[in-house]
Amino acid sequence: MFPDLNTGFTYEDCKATADWLLAQTDVRPLVGIVCGSGLGGLADMLKDQVAFNYKDIPNFPQSTVHGHAGRLVFGTLKGRDCVCMQGRFHLYEGYPIQKITLPMRIFKLLGVETVMLTNAAGGLNQDFKVGDIMIIKDHLNIPGFAGNHPLVGPNDERFGVRFPCMSDAYDRELQQLAMDVGHELGFTDFLREGVYCMLGGPSFETIAECRMLSKLGADAVGMSTAHEVVVARHCGMRVFALSLITNLAVMDYDSEEKANHEEVSGG
């Protein structure tokens, strides 16, 4: 269960990767962005881009999911220095969870102070519609319940404390700012807030599982984000996250609807 400390997870490994990246670009990002499935176009909006393929970055995992570009893009967005992940990593790809969340630690060592995460998710809340955007206010980390947790193993105090608090995982000021901006832009009809539930995947949920998760208080379900949030908060970064509701979870045994990857694209 504990990671092999010689496989790129240590503070020194992360520092070496961050130093390598900083030597390749003059951008000094304060904001780190993770683009979920189908949302990688945000990285294309960065100005003065310097991009790296994941396969070329020391110690970095590689995305194996169709629809995830697999690039780390540095640049400016509205005058702010940013770094953007075009494509993320998932438990179902077979990586240890410490490797999946390694980019969050590298973000911290690059100087990032605020992390913004996006994902594609299935709507469990019966009031949601396809195309809604959900501001994540909290999460259920189901793999973490069973010990598949990114902070399992020896703790390095240079990253954070052994037992980090998660009651404030999602920054409330940023949530309110997003809600205010959404209202100003006239997005009220499709802007929601709710609880995101992470499952390991890669199979989509059964009807019974969807019903259970709904009863537990989840508004949307996907296969990412929660473990990244845990590590980002462990490192002391502020976190803001959004889910794009790409499909509605099937709750009725008489339904003919089925979730599929083309619709959801992996989370």
Side-chain angles (χ1 to χ4, degrees), residues 26-37:
D26 294 329
V27 177
R28 293 297 178 262
L30 295 178
V31 178
I33 303 169
V34 180
C35 296
S37 301

Side-chain angles (χ1 to χ4, degrees), residues 3 10 12 20 23 60 62 64 81 84 107 131 134 143 153 168 183 193 205 208 212 219 223 232 234 236 242 258:
T10 66
E12 288 75 19
W20 183 89
F60 224 74
Q62 296 181 41
T64 65
D81 280 7
C84 188
F107 275 9
M134 184 183 84
D168 60 349
H183 287 172
E193 65 175 10
E205 305 74 39
M212 177 193 76
D219 296 292
M223 304 172 191
H234 180 243
L242 295 171
K258 291 184 180 180

Side-chain angles (χ1 to χ4, degrees), residues 2-267:
F2 292 167
D4 180 346
L5 294 182
N6 295 316
T7 54
F9 304 134
T10 66
Y11 184 92
E12 288 75 19
D13 291 325
C14 294
K15 184 74 164 57
T17 302
D19 288 347
W20 183 89
L21 288 164
L22 290 171
Q24 314 289 321
T25 175
D26 294 329
V27 177
R28 293 297 178 262
L30 295 178
V31 178
I33 303 169
V34 180
C35 296
S37 301
L39 301 169
L42 177 62
D44 297 329
M45 296 173 62
L46 296 183
K47 294 184 177 179
D48 304 318
Q49 291 186 18
V50 180
F52 305 90
N53 291 321
Y54 291 162
K55 63 183 176 61
D56 298 327
I57 302 173
N59 298 319
F60 224 74
Q62 296 181 41
S63 180
T64 65
V65 182
H66 177 68
H68 286 243
R71 295 196 315 156
L72 195 64
V73 184
F74 289 77
T76 61
L77 189 63
K78 301 294 184 182
R80 293 283 185 95
D81 280 7
C82 299
V83 59
C84 188
M85 287 180 67
Q86 264 189 317
R88 56 146 57 90
F89 314 106
H90 307 78
L91 275 177
Y92 59 74
E93 294 177 77
Y95 292 115
I97 197 164
Q98 289 81 6
K99 190 78 170 178
I100 294 169
T101 52
L102 180 139
M104 295 300 103
R105 301 203 182 284
I106 293 170
F107 275 9
K108 175 66 175 181
L109 296 176
L110 289 172
V112 168
E113 297 175 354
T114 302
V115 177
M116 305 179 73
L117 303 108
T118 65
N119 62 56
L124 294 166
N125 189 316
Q126 295 300 288
D127 293 331
F128 285 6
K129 304 182 301 295
V130 171
D132 282 352
I133 295 173
M134 184 183 84
I135 297 169
I136 301 177
K137 66 178 181 181
D138 207 347
H139 71 230
L140 292 169
N141 177 12
I142 301 297
F145 289 2
N148 199 356
H149 191 284
L151 303 184
V152 162
N155 184 63
D156 193 320
E157 293 285 334
R158 288 173 290 182
F159 282 127
V161 298
R162 170 78 278 190
F163 301 107
C165 175
M166 287 293 145
S167 62
D168 60 349
Y170 297 86
D171 191 279
R172 294 187 180 110
E173 286 185 13
L174 293 177
Q175 290 175 52
Q176 187 59 54
L177 177 61
M179 192 64 75
D180 292 345
V181 170
H183 287 172
E184 287 176 16
L185 294 172
F187 293 170
T188 310
D189 288 348
F190 58 86
L191 190 61
R192 314 287 186 181
E193 65 175 10
V195 175
Y196 176 84
C197 179
M198 177 200 168
L199 299 180
S203 59
F204 290 113
E205 305 74 39
T206 68
I207 293 172
E209 288 166 348
C210 289
R211 289 178 170 186
M212 177 193 76
L213 296 175
S214 181
K215 284 183 168 64
L216 289 175
D219 296 292
V221 60
M223 304 172 191
S224 67
T225 304
H227 49 298
E228 295 161 316
V229 170
V230 167
V231 172
R233 292 297 297 138
H234 180 243
C235 290
M237 295 183 286
R238 298 174 79 190
V239 171
F240 173 75
L242 295 171
S243 290
L244 173 63
I245 306 303
T246 53
N247 65 298
L248 298 180
V250 179
M251 298 282 199
D252 184 354
Y253 284 102
D254 294 327
S255 173
E256 296 294 324
E257 294 292 322
K258 291 184 180 180
N260 63 81
H261 179 71
E262 286 68 33
E263 189 176 55
V264 182
S265 295

